[in-house]
Amino acid sequence: MRRVPIGLIVSISAISLGVSTNSAQSMPSTLKQTYRKDSDIIRVNLVPPQANTFWLVVASRPTQEEAVDLARTYAATIGPIFVVQSQNGLFAIVAGTLNFDKAKPNLITLKDLHIIPQDSFLSRGDNLDRIVWLGFDRGTPLDFMSQSAYRSVVQRLQAAMTRLSLYSGPVDGLIGRTTVNAFNAYSAKFGMPNADIITMDALAQIERTSSDGFRNDPERSLAQSQGFNDALSFNEARAGGFASANIFTQARNMGFKTQREFDVATSAGFASKADFQKAQAAGFTSAQDFRAAQKLGFATQREFTAFQSSGFSDPDQYRAAMQKGFTDKASYDKAESKRLKVAKDAAAIVLSDAQTFLRLNPQLPNLIDIADKASALNAQLQTTSTDALVASTTQLNGLLLTVNGYPDFLATREKERTDAVEKQKERIRTELTTGQQALKKWMAGHLTSPNLPAVVAEVKDLDGINTSADLDTLLEAQKGLRALIANQGLASDLTQLAAEAASAIPSTRDVSGPRIEETELNRVLLKGALEDVVVLYNAGPTAPSLLRTLSGDFSFTTNEASICLLGVDDNPSLERALRRAVSPLGGKTLRVKTGCTIEDIDRSDLFLLRRKKFIEANADYIVSYLDAIEKKKLRPFEPFKFADLKSAIDQDSAQVARIANDVEAGTRPGFAGLILGNGSFGICAVVDGDLRVHQPSIDEIVQSIPIPAPQQKATTVEDAYAALRRDQCRVLYGSNQTLKKIGEALSRDGISFSYAPVWFDQPRLVAEQTKLDVEKQNQIKAAEAARLAAEESKKLSEMKLAEDQKSKAAQELQLRQQNGPAATSLSNLLSYGLRKTVLNESGNQPAGPTIDIASSFPKLAAWNAGLQHDAWKPTDVVVAIQDYGSASWKGRNLQAIVVQADVKIKSAERGEYKDACFILGAVIDAEFQMVRDPYEAPCSDDTSAAWSTGHDLRSSWKAH
């Protein structure tokens, strides 16, 4: 390359940059002229060699040295280049020329491919003064698109994109959107190798990526250190959590995609993913179990585990047992053993009957057949096949039943055996009963004996067994009793107790009950009026809900109070009184049981015991409760006395009785509630008018039952009765006439009911109606006040909006007076260009940069070009300013304008007139005489607001 010395320039004022024989612009040999001193130089503009070309300026630097150094770095990827000093003192790096018709699209494409910097631009050379450094050889073409270095870079990019399957076009070095799209796809997938421009190193990196798929050398080095040679395998392995190529290859060959799945499978002994997934689906976690289960014919881990734990070793035997309902070998063997024993016993009986019958009747005509079958059955007794034994027994028995006289003989034999079995059962029962009684006596005198737990367990086991009708059960119990007596060495003690019992003189039982020693604790149950009711509470840990807290208060922790009664009748009045009493303690619901038992000591919270009924109970019952009192497990309940409950019960009962009498007599008008004993939560109300008037009364009735989450509905008398009969309602609320009518029907149908202790008379009805009327009036007043307030607020908002609009209009008028000339100047430039392009007018061009409508607004230009084909002709263009101000473009504040262009068109053929509307926007770069980032859209699709926001347009036309 030739370097122009510092201080010298090439005089190009008279140089004609000629055209080579192949029509490509080339650098002529006459570029090199006589050099003069700077003071003698006549500076002239460096214009392109042809009128239809632009210089491609790829960069500029403030000093010649920086520009030349940078130019040299571009030579490998861009090709021949030269440095020119501009009029503003900067040094421009020029890479040749671009033809006018494709200059701008090629510029954009070159930038998109990062072959030239993003701030490269096109120039006519008006500001370029002199060449200070030249990188062109003689005959080198000036046309940038024909440079071999640049073409080589594009071809290498295309080849790389082709290898990555991102590009399917020809590898010809020609640029276009297909190449750009492929490069963008590469950048999105692998990232840009260089943020500014593609260097030879970056190109080499792209080619390396295209060959092995790695994004960069660090990633490639990391992958290779782990044994990977391509990015596809490396990324797939990394996504699966694999740390080395060796393990990844093993896993992939086995069908696994993740390290975790591979580790789990291999640690469990699986050799393929198919087996692993099949095993997992079946619940197996071990390959050994999976293979063993498959071999044995089990499809799931659950089945295999059940087989392993069953005790069977033969899967067919296990399946046969399962079909019979057995899951373990022990129970199956026991059942089969019992079945075999039953079969053998039945066979032995048939053989015995046959032998006895034959001795009595030796001259039977079919003796040989019977003997043959009996011989076969006798042989079967030695076998373990139950089915074979049953079959042989059935055959012999069937043959015998055909013999004359044998059925009667068999009936007699069976009765003898049945009688013998019943006598055996009775003997065993007697032994079991005597033994149990003897053991109980022994327990009473040996409470500290180490043998006591075993004896207690045996006594409990014997409960109910001595009434069993099953001989085997009785034999097992007899065997257990005898074993206990022998193992615990109780024979002598029990013999002595039996002797003492036999010699004892029977005593007369005290019919008034056992003699009980009175103590300070049990006096609450034993001393006092017999009709008194004592209230106790469960102070032990087994209380279902009641708990005495640290402060000494009582609380029902589960919100339910479990209460048992002895000698106290359960009725609705009692339950309502109890509910009112325990509700403050948290007992929201009741579970009341009549007839306290010994077991209720551990299962109830409160005990209501009438003293007379308690004293008359059996000794075990009395002892159990007194023992609980002595142990302080049962204690007197302090929060209320039964006398308090009795008073409430009497008042409630009296109120219910009065309501019942009033309803039946029909002498007292009013409303009440009728209660059934079903489990429904529904309430049927038969009332005239607004149901809300009766709500307080209905709420009182609900609280007296109570019903959780009651379902309430108004209905007719007939519908209400039908709902009661279908258990859809538990409560009927209505007038005294309604209640009387339905009460008579319920009594007729044998359905019991009671009345709620709540009466809603006429004065209360009037008071509640008045209350509702007042509430309704208040609501109407509040709604009217809210309406008036809303109207007033709306008026104030409208006034404020009008004032804001008036203020905005005044601000915009002031802005437009101040900025009207500048905005109009830009608008005129657009209007001139539009009228020239659309209407083909050639008026005087306004001062300012020329706006090329066709290149700046290609959609509008395309629309205009298509008018003639559709037989339309434009007749006028009207431009109106929509917005004007300053916009930000690459850190610079430039003028920006948005206009609405209304184009009027007509069609003589159609006899019609139409209007077309466009929104056009542009950032005007007066310094470079350029239009930046133009915007165009039909008015119907206007998104210029987003364009303004994107350019940070600060309006000098609109008030915001």
Side-chain angles (χ1 to χ4, degrees), residues 381-645:
L381 285 173
Q382 310 305 319
T383 185
T384 58
S385 175
T386 304
D387 294 335
L389 186 59
V390 170
S392 295
T393 302
T394 303
Q395 289 178 0
L396 177 58
N397 194 52
L399 182 60
L400 288 169
L401 288 173
T402 63
V403 177
N404 187 30
Y406 184 80
D408 295 335
F409 169 79
L410 181 61
T412 302
R413 293 279 289 181
E414 286 180 348
K415 185 176 185 307
E416 291 174 355
R417 283 192 290 269
T418 301
D419 292 341
V421 168
E422 288 302 320
K423 290 178 181 178
Q424 183 183 10
K425 289 180 183 178
E426 191 58 32
R427 288 195 301 272
I428 297 173
R429 291 192 190 103
T430 301
E431 180 179 345
L432 294 178
T433 301
T434 303
Q436 186 182 34
Q437 293 174 350
L439 290 176
K440 286 182 178 180
K441 291 180 181 179
W442 181 91
M443 288 164 54
H446 298 81
L447 294 180
T448 60
S449 171
N451 298 331
L452 183 62
V455 175
V456 171
E458 180 65 22
V459 169
K460 289 182 178 180
D461 290 341
L462 290 174
D463 280 336
I465 291 181
N466 55 6
T467 61
S468 175
D470 182 62
L471 178 60
D472 289 340
T473 301
L474 292 171
L475 288 170
E476 285 292 326
Q478 182 188 49
K479 181 179 178 182
L481 175 63
R482 291 177 177 178
L484 172 76
I485 294 173
N487 294 338
Q488 304 297 331
L490 303 177
S492 59
D493 291 346
L494 296 180
T495 300
Q496 183 179 353
L497 288 172
E500 292 174 357
S503 61
I505 300 175
S507 60
T508 303
R509 185 175 183 270
D510 186 357
V511 295
S512 64
R515 297 177 60 85
I516 304 171
E517 181 181 356
E518 187 178 299
T519 68
E520 186 66 28
L521 292 174
N522 67 24
R523 187 174 293 125
V524 65
L525 272 176
L526 300 179
K527 189 173 183 180
L530 294 179
E531 293 302 320
D532 284 351
V533 175
V534 179
V535 182
L536 304 176
Y537 76 93
N538 190 340
T542 61
S545 179
L546 188 62
L547 177 69
R548 195 164 196 181
T549 64
L550 182 65
S551 62
D553 297 327
F554 289 92
S555 174
F556 290 93
T557 57
T558 65
N559 296 328
E560 181 183 71
S562 297
I563 303 173
C564 73
L565 311 175
L566 179 67
V568 179
D569 293 334
D570 183 19
N571 55 60
S573 295
L574 171 65
E575 292 197 12
R576 283 191 284 268
L578 283 172
R579 191 173 292 109
R580 287 192 293 268
V582 302
S583 179
L585 309 179
K588 303 303 180 185
T589 59
L590 297 181
R591 184 165 57 85
V592 179
K593 177 188 175 185
T594 301
C596 292
T597 64
I598 295 175
E599 290 75 15
D600 288 322
I601 294 175
D602 292 324
R603 297 188 301 208
S604 299
D605 295 310
L606 294 177
F607 305 81
L608 274 63
L609 309 176
R610 192 175 297 277
R611 187 175 288 113
K612 182 176 184 298
K613 191 70 173 178
F614 173 76
I615 292 175
E616 291 175 350
N618 60 58
D620 289 341
Y621 187 92
I622 294 174
V623 169
S624 298
Y625 273 84
L626 293 182
D627 183 58
I629 287 179
E630 292 297 331
K631 294 179 179 178
K632 297 186 178 181
K633 188 174 182 178
L634 296 181
R635 303 183 68 179
F637 191 59
E638 301 168 357
F640 62 80
K641 305 296 183 184
F642 185 76
D644 301 329
L645 294 178

Side-chain angles (χ1 to χ4, degrees), residues 120-420:
S120 300
F121 60 92
L122 302 174
S123 174
R124 291 294 299 167
D126 297 339
N127 295 325
L128 302 177
D129 273 359
R130 57 175 181 160
I131 298 175
V132 299
W133 182 85
L134 186 64
F136 281 81
D137 290 329
R138 180 184 299 274
T140 302
L142 292 175
D143 183 9
F144 178 83
M145 303 305 292
S146 66
Q147 298 298 330
S148 60
Y150 144 74
R151 293 285 292 272
S152 174
V153 170
V154 175
Q155 286 178 321
R156 290 172 66 181
L157 282 176
Q158 291 172 334
M161 300 302 109
T162 300
R163 286 193 293 271
L164 291 170
S165 298
L166 300 176
Y167 177 76
S168 58
V171 182
D172 53 7
L174 300 180
I175 59 174
R177 295 315 303 174
T178 303
T179 304
V180 171
N181 292 339
F183 184 78
N184 289 339
Y186 173 88
S187 301
K189 186 173 183 180
F190 299 99
M192 275 298 298
N194 188 297
D196 183 24
I197 187 172
I198 291 180
T199 64
M200 296 306 290
D201 289 341
L203 184 59
Q205 173 63 41
I206 291 174
E207 290 176 324
R208 286 195 296 273
T209 297
S210 71
S211 65
D212 57 20
F214 293 107
R215 294 171 177 268
N216 48 54
D217 287 333
E219 185 183 61
R220 184 174 291 103
S221 298
L222 175 61
Q224 290 175 349
S225 69
Q226 296 177 4
F228 295 94
N229 295 318
D230 65 282
L232 181 63
S233 297
F234 175 67
N235 291 329
E236 186 178 346
R238 185 161 54 179
F242 294 97
S244 74
N246 183 33
I247 297 176
F248 171 70
T249 301
Q250 293 180 41
R252 184 167 57 181
N253 291 338
M254 293 171 64
F256 297 101
K257 292 184 178 181
T258 66
Q259 178 78 58
R260 179 180 175 276
E261 191 178 36
F262 174 73
D263 289 342
V264 172
T266 53
S267 64
F270 292 95
S272 72
K273 184 177 182 179
D275 282 350
F276 176 64
Q277 289 180 329
K278 186 176 180 181
Q280 275 194 321
F284 292 95
T285 58
S286 163
Q288 182 179 359
D289 286 349
F290 176 64
R291 288 190 289 268
Q294 282 189 316
K295 185 176 180 181
L296 294 173
F298 294 101
T300 67
Q301 175 74 62
R302 180 173 172 271
E303 293 175 351
F304 183 62
T305 301
F307 167 73
Q308 288 179 312
S309 60
S310 68
F312 288 94
S313 58
D314 184 354
D316 293 332
Q317 189 181 27
Y318 168 73
R319 294 186 183 95
M322 288 286 289
Q323 290 177 353
K324 295 179 180 179
F326 298 95
T327 58
D328 64 280
K329 192 173 187 302
S331 59
Y332 175 75
D333 288 345
K334 183 178 180 181
E336 285 298 301
S337 177
K338 183 176 181 181
R339 183 165 169 259
L340 180 61
K341 180 180 180 299
V342 171
K344 287 185 175 182
D345 290 343
I349 290 173
V350 171
L351 286 171
S352 175
D353 290 346
Q355 183 172 340
T356 303
F357 184 76
L358 290 176
R359 285 179 180 174
L360 296 173
N361 303 278
Q363 303 301 323
L364 290 178
N366 57 348
L367 177 62
I368 296 175
D369 291 339
I370 295 174
D372 182 57
K373 294 288 191 264
S375 176
L377 179 58
N378 191 54
Q380 289 288 348
L381 285 173
Q382 310 305 319
T383 185
T384 58
S385 175
T386 304
D387 294 335
L389 186 59
V390 170
S392 295
T393 302
T394 303
Q395 289 178 0
L396 177 58
N397 194 52
L399 182 60
L400 288 169
L401 288 173
T402 63
V403 177
N404 187 30
Y406 184 80
D408 295 335
F409 169 79
L410 181 61
T412 302
R413 293 279 289 181
E414 286 180 348
K415 185 176 185 307
E416 291 174 355
R417 283 192 290 269
T418 301
D419 292 341

Side-chain angles (χ1 to χ4, degrees), residues 671 685-692 694 698 714-715 733-735 738:
F671 292 81
V686 182
V687 297
D688 294 329
D690 194 343
L691 181 61
R692 293 179 299 168
H694 300 266
I698 293 174
T715 181
Y733 178 83
S735 65
T738 297

Side-chain angles (χ1 to χ4, degrees), residues 751-812:
I751 300 173
S752 61
F753 64 90
S754 64
Y755 288 96
V758 178
W759 184 260
F760 196 57
D761 55 18
Q762 190 65 26
R764 281 192 63 191
L765 182 67
V766 173
E768 289 297 331
Q769 183 64 61
T770 302
K771 180 180 176 182
L772 281 179
D773 292 343
V774 171
E775 290 179 357
K776 185 176 181 180
Q777 290 297 323
N778 290 339
Q779 290 174 356
I780 293 173
K781 292 178 181 178
E784 180 63 17
R787 185 186 66 80
L788 294 174
E791 289 183 355
E792 184 65 23
S793 176
K794 182 179 179 182
K795 290 179 181 178
L796 292 174
S797 298
E798 291 174 349
M799 291 174 61
K800 185 177 184 305
L801 178 62
E803 291 176 0
D804 291 344
Q805 291 176 343
K806 183 178 180 182
S807 174
K808 181 178 180 181
Q811 292 175 18
E812 288 187 348

Side-chain angles (χ1 to χ4, degrees), residues 45-46 84-88 123-129 927-928:
N45 289 337
L46 182 66
V84 182
Q85 186 175 15
S86 303
Q87 292 179 3
N88 59 8
S123 174
R124 291 294 299 167
D126 297 339
N127 295 325
L128 302 177
D129 273 359
E927 179 181 353
F928 292 96

